[in-house]
Amino acid sequence: MPYVVTRSCCADASCVLACPVNCIHPAPGEPGFGQTEMLYVDPRTCVDCGACTTACPVDALKPHTKLTEGELPFLEPNRAYYDTSPHADRTPMALVPPQRRAETTGLRVAVVGAGPAGLFAADELLRHPGVSVTVYDRLPTPYGLARAGVAPDHQDTKQVTELFRAIEGQPGFSYRLNTRIGHDLHHADLVRDHHAVVYAVGAATDRRLGIEGEDLPGSASATDFVAWYNGHPDHDGAAHPLDAERAVVVGNGNVALDVARILTADPDVLARTDISDRALAALRASRVREVVVLGRRGPAEAAFTLPELIALAALDVLVEGWPQDLPADATPKTAVLAELAARTPVPGRRRIVLRFLTGPARIEGDDRVTGLTVVRTELRRADDGTVRAVPTDATETIETSLVLRAVGYRAEPVPDLPFDAETGTVPHERGRVEPGVYVTGWIKRGPTGFIGTNKSCAQETVTTLLDDLETGRLTAPAGPPVTTARPDAVDLDGWRAIDAAERAEGRAQGRPRVKLLDREDLLAAARRPASV
């Protein structure tokens, strides 16, 4: 196999466009794109040209001869994908938008949300001549979860921000950051001043467990914990108790593994990343030696992806709750878990315990968390083939001072837009809420997919928007924008000044960047020339 996709895959499909022999799948427009854990290279048709490596924004593609020992497990999933998903009869969606018949010169669009979904939407719009896009965000910095969600030890994944920097440099692009829609500006203001408004606000809150004791100090969401160690300004003053030897993470998706990995990582290694300095200081003083990651269901139903599991396998990881009747080679994921289940603890090392068939019942403590009572579950298969985790009578209490819930993200209602509380999304038709108002990203489809999934999601929404322009369904602004920016709004030059300041301090310390943590410090940096 000449080339292999590794764990840092963002699935944005840049490699698909670059490949001259159509050997990377699933591609946009094909079954599974946006749902599979990564993209895969067909070893039978790859010609070893290396074009994909140049196109990949996160350096995820490597020749098989240059894989590290920890990356060798990616060989088999790349090969095995084509055993079950042959692609000879597939026709990928065109990644270059066709020329529109509608006149786009003068089209003015507001994009609310400067994360990957919003920036991919801006990119799709700016591919058409004469379009101008203003991207709004309530934070002084852009990139959303690519800045404040990707774990600091995944710097390769964060390289996707270089793609965003290229989007920012296109003619017609502008920022209005540090601006809250619904407070500093309102939906009606955006509608008045633009032909169209695209909301890409994501899913900023977390799902709750709904158990007793969930509001005790020491019980928090993994969403908040991730934001804390990534230097999100809203979580600058947060404090998480790391004074006990065990922490518990409820849920076993990728975020749960990120949290467990950071809690057990060597602080000296983290010190070479862009982790928050305040979080790094707290982790240096941490007494946590074990992180237990709980999953209600079994190993075969684990929510984390195979790439994240392979990355975790290089650490001291144990598995508990392994069903005896599950074949170790049932899937590539369970094969890795079977290997981990056979391990024995290494004395003296921090460790991660993946514990299956266990659910949270009650958080213990009076004025702070002292433990988590859990209940054993058993799997039952329904007539329709679905597997459910059913509680048993077996319970126990795990001593801990920190319980982090990682059971999913959830969006909040958008002012002046309809909202489906059950799905946590804005109702839409191919991205259209109504002519002139659109959605993309998690607020459109729910918290699913990967960074690159937002690209095809944005393509669909922008196609719908341009269809509405072409058929005369958009209302032109009466004149130039009349909204007045708040005095401390951050424009593109301001963001570039922040970026330059953080990178400069990073170079001085041998790090990618040193994030400014306080909102006032960020705004002060935005007022300085970027060359300083």
Side-chain angles (χ1 to χ4, degrees), residues 431-457:
R432 181 195 300 111
V433 182
E434 60 183 45
V437 181
Y438 306 86
V439 287
T440 189
W442 282 0
I443 194 64
K444 171 186 173 184
R445 67 181 190 273
T448 61
F450 308 94
I451 290 175
T453 310
N454 292 297
K455 189 171 186 175
S456 56
C457 184

Side-chain angles (χ1 to χ4, degrees), residues 104 106-110 130-134 192-197 477-481:
T104 55
L107 179 66
R108 203 157 64 220
V109 182
V131 178
S132 63
V133 177
T134 302
R192 181 191 63 222
D193 288 351
H194 301 84
H195 292 83
V197 183

Side-chain angles (χ1 to χ4, degrees), residues 27-188:
E30 297 178 345
F33 182 76
Q35 283 76 51
T36 56
E37 299 175 344
M38 56 195 296
L39 303 184
Y40 302 92
V41 178
D42 187 346
R44 297 166 297 183
T45 54
C46 177
V47 295
D48 198 19
C49 69
C52 56
T53 62
T54 303
C56 179
V58 295
D59 292 339
L61 284 134
K62 295 184 178 181
H64 78 285
T65 55
K66 293 187 178 180
L67 294 177
T68 65
E69 183 176 353
E71 292 168 337
L72 288 176
F74 287 107
L75 279 167
E76 178 57 19
N78 269 274
R79 184 203 63 77
Y81 171 79
Y82 291 92
D83 290 343
T84 57
S85 304
H87 68 88
D89 59 343
R90 295 179 179 179
T91 303
M93 179 182 72
L95 297 183
V96 178
Q99 186 68 42
R100 304 290 299 207
R101 293 191 301 274
E103 174 59 56
T104 55
T105 299
L107 179 66
R108 203 157 64 220
V109 182
V111 174
V112 182
L119 290 172
F120 279 129
D123 186 38
E124 292 302 319
L125 286 160
L126 293 170
R127 293 173 188 267
H128 302 275
V131 178
S132 63
V133 177
T134 302
V135 178
Y136 295 80
D137 201 282
R138 68 181 187 84
L139 294 177
T141 57
Y143 306 165
L145 288 180
R147 175 180 168 97
V150 175
D153 60 343
H154 279 3
Q155 289 297 311
D156 46 5
T157 304
K158 291 195 176 192
Q159 290 181 78
V160 74
T161 58
E162 295 303 311
L163 176 60
F164 299 154
R165 287 163 62 87
I167 294 171
E168 294 167 349
Q170 295 182 69
F173 183 95
S174 63
Y175 272 137
R176 188 174 291 181
L177 306 174
N178 198 42
T179 302
R180 284 193 299 165
I181 305 304
H183 184 271
D184 303 310
L185 290 174
H186 298 275
H187 174 71

Side-chain angles (χ1 to χ4, degrees), residues 203-446:
T205 60
D206 67 289
R207 296 182 182 275
R208 291 178 62 83
L209 300 174
I211 60 176
E212 184 180 344
E214 191 169 6
D215 294 320
L216 282 171
S219 170
S221 74
T223 305
D224 291 346
F225 192 79
V226 168
W228 169 70
Y229 65 59
N230 269 320
H232 193 296
D234 287 353
H235 299 268
D236 176 40
H240 298 280
L242 305 176
D243 54 347
E245 293 194 354
R246 182 183 296 110
V248 179
V249 183
V250 180
N252 59 11
N254 286 349
V255 172
L257 296 197
D258 283 348
V259 167
R261 210 175 53 251
I262 295 301
L263 280 168
T264 56
D266 181 347
D268 289 339
V269 173
L270 292 177
R272 298 193 291 270
T273 73
D274 63 348
I275 191 171
S276 156
D277 281 348
R278 292 187 181 128
L280 180 62
L283 290 167
R284 285 192 183 281
S286 171
R287 294 183 57 216
V288 174
R289 308 298 299 175
E290 177 181 272
V291 179
V292 180
V293 180
L294 301 182
R296 293 178 185 269
R297 299 194 293 174
E301 296 80 30
F304 49 71
T305 61
L306 178 62
E308 288 299 318
L309 179 61
I310 290 175
L312 197 73
L315 308 177
D316 193 16
V317 182
L318 305 179
V319 174
E320 296 179 357
W322 184 263
Q324 297 301 312
D325 59 348
L326 179 68
D329 60 350
T331 66
K333 185 186 296 184
T334 55
V336 175
L337 286 168
E339 177 189 338
L340 297 178
R343 289 184 179 180
T344 56
V346 178
R349 288 182 59 181
R350 294 180 180 179
R351 65 181 183 179
I352 297 169
V353 179
L354 303 180
R355 183 167 175 178
F356 297 97
L357 300 173
T358 307
R362 184 176 61 255
I363 297 177
E364 308 293 347
D366 294 325
D367 55 358
R368 58 170 290 177
V369 171
T370 59
L372 174 67
T373 296
V374 298
V375 59
R376 296 289 294 170
T377 63
E378 59 182 27
L379 298 181
R380 295 181 185 173
R381 190 174 298 276
D383 293 339
D384 61 0
T386 59
V387 176
R388 295 180 58 230
V390 180
T392 67
D393 294 331
T395 63
E396 66 173 290
T397 298
I398 303 173
E399 292 186 6
T400 181
S401 65
L402 179 63
V403 175
L404 298 172
R405 58 185 180 273
V407 291
Y409 291 93
R410 183 171 178 80
E412 296 179 325
V414 179
D416 300 315
L417 265 63
F419 188 73
D420 184 333
E422 184 173 344
T423 63
T425 60
V426 171
H428 65 92
E429 180 182 356
R430 295 180 59 82
R432 181 195 300 111
V433 182
E434 60 183 45
V437 181
Y438 306 86
V439 287
T440 189
W442 282 0
I443 194 64
K444 171 186 173 184
R445 67 181 190 273

